[in-house]
Structure formats: C-alpha cells, structure tokens
Amino acid sequence: MGTLELRVPQDRAGRFSTELFQRYQRSEKALVGTLAEMYVQGVSTRKVKTVTEALCGHSFSASAISAINKSLDEALRAFAERRLSEPYPYLILDARYEKVREAGIIISQAVLIAVAVDGDGQRQIIGVDLANRESRTSWRDFLLGLKDRGLFGVEFVVSDSHPGLKQAIREVLPGAAWQRCYVHFLRDALDHLSRKLADDCLHELRWIYDRRELVEVRRDIAAWLAKWHARHSKLCDWVEENIEETLTYYRLPLQHHKHMKSTNMLERLNQELKRRTHVVRIFPNAESCLRLVRALAVETHENWLEGTRYLNMQHLAEHKKEALRQAA
C-alpha cells in the first residue's frame, strides 16, 4: 500500500501517546539506551540534543530525554531495595549534599550512602537514599531500612563525627565498634588552629596514624602533646579529648588498617558524583537527583564486584582467633 503517515498530536507536556505504536518505537532501542547512559555519565540534556541531531538528524527534546530516563527507575529501585542476604563485617557511612528545586525553592538534600565489605572482602554499595538533612532521625531511618532489608553481621563502622549519625549507630548497631574517620578529624582540627600555623603541627599529628602498634601511637601522641601544648593549648586539649575515637581501627588486623581508618573508600564515588551532578547544578526535583545518584551507584557497585578483592577477610578471621587465644 505504500507509506502511511500518521499525524501525532503534540501537547504541551509531551504526555500524549497513541495505542497504534509505542512511544519512541521509531528510534532504535540501542539509541534510547545510549541516551539513558549519556544521562548517567553526566551529559546535559542540551548536549544530548545536539549529539542526537548530528548523529541521526533527530533531536530529542528535554522532556523526551527525561521520559526515557524515567525508564531507569524500576531497575534502580530494585537495586536500592534488594535483600541483603550475607554478613557485612565492615560498614562505611557518609553523606554529601545536592541542590534540588522543590515547590519553586532551592534546597539542599543530603545524599546518604552506605558502603560495606562482605565476607569475601568485596566492596558493595548497599544503600543510597535522600534526606532533607543529616540528623539522628534521618540516619536512624536509613540504618533501620538496611536492617529491614537483611543487614547483619556488622562488626565495625567508619564515619565522620556527625552527632546525629553517631547516635543512630549506637541505637541501631549497638554491637559494632565505631571508628571516627581520621581524615575528617584532621580537617576538624583546623577549627582549633590558625591556618598559618597548621603545617608542621598537623603534619606531625598526621604521621602518628602510620604507626603499626597502638603502643607506639600512644607514645607519639604524648610526645606531640608535650611539644605543642605551650603554643597551641586549645588544639592540644581538643585532640587529647577526641583522638581516642580515631584509634578504633587498631582492633583490626594490620593489613586492614590502611583501608578502615577513614571513609576514603567512598571518596572516589563522591568525586564521580560531584563531577556528574556539577553538570546539572540544580536538580528539578528530588526524584531526578536520586535517579542519577543511584544510577552512578549501580555502575560503581558492578565495577567493584568485577574487580579484584578489596580485602583479604582471612586476616580478620585469624585476628579474632589470636584475640581469643590471648584472652584465654
């Protein structure tokens, strides 16, 4: 019969769909998949429109690209709500903020992230969610959500010293040892010292965390306090009061110290989040923000599982046996 042209009405919101054929059926599925991948990689909708117009002579509108990206939601939700069916001895918690427009007002939303190390020594992203702010309630709900999904076997938790987070960890994971991230600790120390005087003093404090034994650490801390107290009494008093929280990692095997004394395990993920969300700058709503963050989390999670083992957990098992032997 030849070619039949169908005139499809266009509405302002771009929601019209005819039952004769699916939306975007004329586009190759590979192209549609590529559009979603470009979004995940942090390419702006304006650049996507330019690229598709150059490649195939058809430019997708921002609303069309947004509709395609929403197709990711079901898979991302399944990832974020999956059952946790194995023990996770190590848990690392952190948060970052993204700007979101809600009801015409730009607000900061906290992106709560949980990374764990499983019994095989592989890293996994086990939780990503949004909250209005970091608070005891938001962190408590986040951790309870992890437990409802099956989280168990947590022995060691690493985070910064946010009061709400610390309280939530005590309430939800009372049997786990808590490690205050030493990197955050050193940053907090700047609040008690003039930046002009920070170099030598804080460098010497930083070197203490390279010691192999806790006995060496306590000896060096005492020497550091004696050396600097006269010049920086405010800083030294603060360090003496809080530094013990940063030394919990000495309960772990020596081979795990480097990885478990800070939240640096999350730094690469945070850098990627920053790089990709910087393109958006302000998300039109919370759903779009969570979509991009979770999509990046899935990508990182899969890369970790396909990569080499992060930690040898046999070291932890042997360390426990030795501790029991000495206790007996």
Side-chain angles (χ1 to χ4, degrees):
M1 297 296 295
T3 301
L4 177 65
E5 292 188 3
L6 300 178
R7 298 180 64 190
V8 181
Q10 294 184 355
D11 61 296
R12 186 181 301 275
R15 296 174 181 169
F16 174 81
S17 179
T18 174
E19 294 182 357
L20 292 178
F21 51 85
Q22 297 179 359
R23 299 189 72 185
Y24 314 118
Q25 187 173 342
R26 65 180 177 179
S27 303
E28 290 288 343
K29 291 184 178 180
L31 177 59
V32 174
T34 301
L35 293 179
E37 177 64 17
M38 290 171 72
Y39 167 79
V40 172
Q41 294 296 332
V43 180
S44 67
T45 53
R46 183 179 304 171
K47 290 182 180 179
V48 170
K49 181 179 179 180
T50 303
V51 169
T52 55
E53 189 170 17
L55 286 177
C56 55
H58 173 73
S59 61
F60 287 79
S61 65
S63 60
I65 296 170
S66 178
I68 291 172
N69 291 333
K70 287 180 181 179
S71 65
L72 298 170
D73 289 349
E74 185 176 349
L76 296 178
R77 190 179 302 109
F79 169 80
E81 297 176 0
R82 71 190 189 279
R83 290 294 301 173
L84 305 174
S85 56
E86 58 183 319
Y88 293 94
Y90 296 158
L91 181 66
I92 301 89
L93 303 170
D94 199 8
R96 55 173 287 107
Y97 282 85
E98 298 293 346
K99 294 187 182 299
V100 175
R101 184 179 292 106
E102 290 288 352
I105 301 175
I106 298 175
I107 61 174
S108 290
Q109 290 268 287
V111 180
L112 310 182
I113 304 174
V115 170
V117 179
D118 62 24
D120 294 327
Q122 292 282 16
R123 289 176 293 176
Q124 295 189 31
I125 299 177
I126 62 172
V128 180
D129 214 340
L130 289 185
N132 290 331
R133 60 191 179 92
E134 278 193 274
S135 65
R136 169 191 165 273
T137 302
S138 61
W139 275 115
R140 182 175 180 274
D141 291 345
F142 181 72
L143 292 175
L144 286 174
L146 294 177
K147 293 199 74 173
D148 289 343
R149 289 168 47 208
L151 177 66
F152 73 100
V154 178
E155 303 175 19
F156 193 85
V157 183
V158 188
S159 74
D160 61 22
S161 63
H162 188 281
L165 175 53
K166 289 171 59 178
Q167 189 173 355
I169 293 172
R170 287 195 296 267
E171 292 179 14
V172 183
L173 302 169
W178 175 65
Q179 162 72 25
R180 179 175 181 173
C181 171
Y182 87 97
V183 176
H184 285 84
F185 177 79
L186 293 175
R187 291 173 187 165
D188 294 340
L190 290 172
D191 295 336
H192 306 273
L193 185 67
S194 171
R195 291 189 180 272
K196 294 180 180 179
L197 305 173
D199 287 350
D200 292 342
C201 184
L202 289 187
H203 280 169
E204 290 183 16
L205 184 61
R206 162 66 184 83
W207 293 335
I208 291 174
Y209 291 98
D210 294 331
R211 304 296 181 264
R212 297 169 63 90
E213 301 291 340
L214 189 56
V215 175
E216 297 180 71
V217 172
R218 298 197 190 286
R219 180 195 64 207
D220 289 348
I221 290 174
W224 183 88
L225 290 171
K227 177 179 179 178
W228 294 102
H229 194 277
R231 294 175 59 185
H232 308 301
S233 59
K234 181 181 177 182
L235 171 67
C236 289
D237 290 343
W238 178 83
V239 168
E240 190 171 14
E241 182 180 353
N242 294 280
I243 197 170
E244 197 67 30
E245 296 177 338
T246 70
L247 305 178
T248 315
Y249 69 95
Y250 281 98
R251 301 183 185 186
L252 303 179
L254 177 63
Q255 297 87 342
H256 294 187
H257 287 185
K258 175 182 176 181
H259 304 284
M260 301 309 302
K261 62 185 177 182
S262 72
T263 59
N264 283 353
M265 189 187 302
L266 273 167
E267 284 304 307
R268 181 64 183 272
L269 176 60
N270 282 332
Q271 288 173 6
E272 277 298 298
L273 280 174
K274 182 177 180 180
R275 182 180 71 82
R276 301 187 190 186
T277 60
H278 178 72
V279 177
V280 183
R281 291 185 296 177
I282 301 173
F283 287 90
N285 49 58
E287 290 76 16
S288 61
C289 177
L290 188 59
R291 183 181 304 123
L292 180 56
V293 171
R294 281 182 173 172
L296 176 58
V298 169
E299 180 183 293
T300 303
H301 175 84
E302 292 176 350
N303 288 338
W304 283 350
L305 291 182
E306 292 172 359
T308 57
R309 184 173 56 182
Y310 188 68
L311 292 175
N312 185 346
M313 300 307 284
Q314 184 62 31
H315 293 147
L316 180 61
E318 294 171 355
H319 186 76
K320 290 180 182 178
K321 289 181 181 179
E322 180 63 21
L324 289 174
R325 189 187 66 79
Q326 292 182 1

